[in-house]
Amino acid sequence: MKLEQIETPAALIDIARMQKNIARMQAHMNTLGVAFRPHVKTTKCIDVVRAQIAAGARGITVSTLKEAEAFFAAGVDDILYAVSIAPSKLPRALALRRQGCDLKLVVDNPIAASAIAAFGEQHGATFEVWIEVDTDGHRSGITPEQDTLLEVGRILHENGVKVGGVMTHAGSSYELNTQEALVALAEQERAGCVRAAQRLREAGIACPAVSVGSTPTALAAAQLDGVTEVRAGVYVLFDLVMHNVGVCALDDIALSVLATVIGHQADKGWAILDAGWMAMSRDRGTSKQAHDFGYGQPCLLNGTLLPGYVVSGANQEHGILSSTDADTQVTDIEQRFPIGMKLRILPNHACATGAQFPEYHAVMPDGNSVEWRRFQGW
Ligand SMILES: Cc1ncc(COP(=O)(O)O)c(C=O)c1O
């Protein structure tokens, strides 16, 4: 299908850009001598994950059991479920393992660790669990020097649960925007996770995997001694938030929303689009960064950027395209953006925008596209 024929709004993936992003990350991992386990929550799309595996990825990271079930059904069996598991979900995790899925769980507290151990004992099942380490105060995890680290390790180890490794996600990297700061955080993430593994090993608990990563720290890491694998997700498509962090150019962004101009408010300098927040998502991640891209950066249908314009407002199904300078009204908005004109809007946050759509239209270099399904839910 040609771009002009696709009904709007629609989520487009530029395949050439995506392949370039995949190759860039994999080459960096190969240089650093670590395995790469992509986080597939960004796209939830088997076609994308096949491209990541073809490039050299080993195993995947998921954020929901639904992703684990769907990707296992599609043939991926090495899966890290990187959200601390709610005990009520253990029967689904067990069902996956009994079908042959090498599913690894994550915990960061003694209560969840005990629940896994008790459930395993009750059902004669062996689980593999990785302990989540907090290396930057971003979200969850146990800090490397905390006593709880060894307490959780012992609960698992002494009750028949395999401690497969430690993992951390330095998500505070999204708040940075200099190479120097990113390199320093990547080193902090590495050193903290390696230290946690060392403490467990010194306590007699084997801890084979040391897993780190976010897109900014993965790309900034200068050395990863002691680390066995890296995880990253959004790098595969990139977005405006990542551009502001400084890890991609605008023309690396592989995801855009195809939209049609449906009207104007000429006196205000607005063109109205049929892509509102239902298409772009409510994510305003760039609002706290150096360059606020509103709800997205408009481009022509062929991907050429339209500097000086932004999607400045969004209702559910209406987007407002206007000048980036709030005080400058575009006097010829109706001529520049005639009704029926199609545009591509680069999103703030690729994971959030992709989640608004049941499928991607994957666009090939010749302008033709194919449909790639993605799934939703938990
Ligand atoms: C546990 C975990 N690992 C890895 C990632 C990947 O981060 P990014 O999308 O920045 O690559 C995430 C993202 O939220 C995550 O939660």
Side-chain angles (χ1 to χ4, degrees), residues 25 37 39 41-42 61-63 82-83 132 138-139 167-169 171 173-174 212-216 218 231-235 242 349 351:
M25 180 64 84
R37 180 188 291 281
H39 204 317
K41 75 185 173 75
T42 301
T61 315
V62 300
S63 60
V83 174
E132 183 168 8
H138 165 63
R139 189 172 62 195
M167 55 80 66
T168 191
H169 167 62
S173 58
Y174 280 44
V212 303
S214 68
T215 287
R231 308 175 322 277
V234 76
Y235 81 97
M242 285 298 111
H349 186 181
C351 312

Side-chain angles (χ1 to χ4, degrees), residues 45 56 98 113-114 124 146 152 160 167 188 213 269 340 347 352 355:
C45 172
R98 290 210 161 129
S114 302
Q146 244 176 289
V152 169
M167 55 80 66
Q188 180 180 320

Side-chain angles (χ1 to χ4, degrees), residues 19-213:
Q19 290 289 11
K20 185 179 159 211
N21 299 339
I22 290 173
R24 175 183 166 200
M25 180 64 84
Q26 190 64 51
H28 188 48
M29 295 301 115
N30 295 348
T31 305
L32 293 172
V34 288
F36 183 56
R37 180 188 291 281
H39 204 317
V40 301
K41 75 185 173 75
T42 301
T43 60
K44 306 198 191 214
C45 172
I46 188 67
D47 302 273
V48 175
V49 173
R50 284 202 183 108
Q52 291 169 305
I53 290 172
R58 279 188 250 155
I60 59 170
T61 315
V62 300
S63 60
T64 62
L65 282 177
K66 176 85 173 270
E67 287 162 60
E69 288 158 354
F71 284 107
F72 179 63
V76 183
D77 61 6
D78 177 355
I79 301 179
L80 173 66
Y81 171 39
V83 174
S84 207
I85 189 158
S88 60
K89 294 177 185 163
L90 284 167
R92 279 171 73 192
L94 178 57
L96 273 169
R97 282 184 70 85
R98 290 210 161 129
Q99 289 164 55
C101 179
D102 181 11
L103 178 73
K104 297 161 250 285
L105 306 179
V106 162
V107 293
D108 73 348
N109 64 78
I111 294 172
S114 302
I116 294 172
F119 186 88
E121 192 174 33
Q122 198 185 341
H123 293 86
T126 316
F127 284 103
E128 176 173 337
V129 171
W130 294 16
I131 302 177
E132 183 168 8
V133 180
D134 177 6
T135 50
D136 69 341
H138 165 63
R139 189 172 62 195
S140 40
I142 307 168
T143 55
E145 303 297 341
Q146 244 176 289
D147 293 343
T148 321
L149 179 72
L150 298 187
E151 188 189 342
V152 169
R154 287 196 185 101
I155 290 170
L156 297 169
H157 183 65
E158 289 164 13
N159 290 286
V161 181
K162 178 179 174 192
V163 179
V166 283
M167 55 80 66
T168 191
H169 167 62
S172 67
S173 58
Y174 280 44
E175 291 152 32
L176 307 177
N177 60 9
T178 68
Q179 181 64 9
E180 201 185 9
L182 289 172
V183 170
L185 184 60
E187 174 54 20
Q188 180 180 320
E189 183 183 45
R190 182 203 71 81
C193 207
V194 169
R195 171 69 183 140
Q198 182 196 13
R199 287 192 67 218
L200 286 164
R201 289 169 190 155
E202 283 169 3
I205 301 164
C207 177
V210 179
S211 176
V212 303

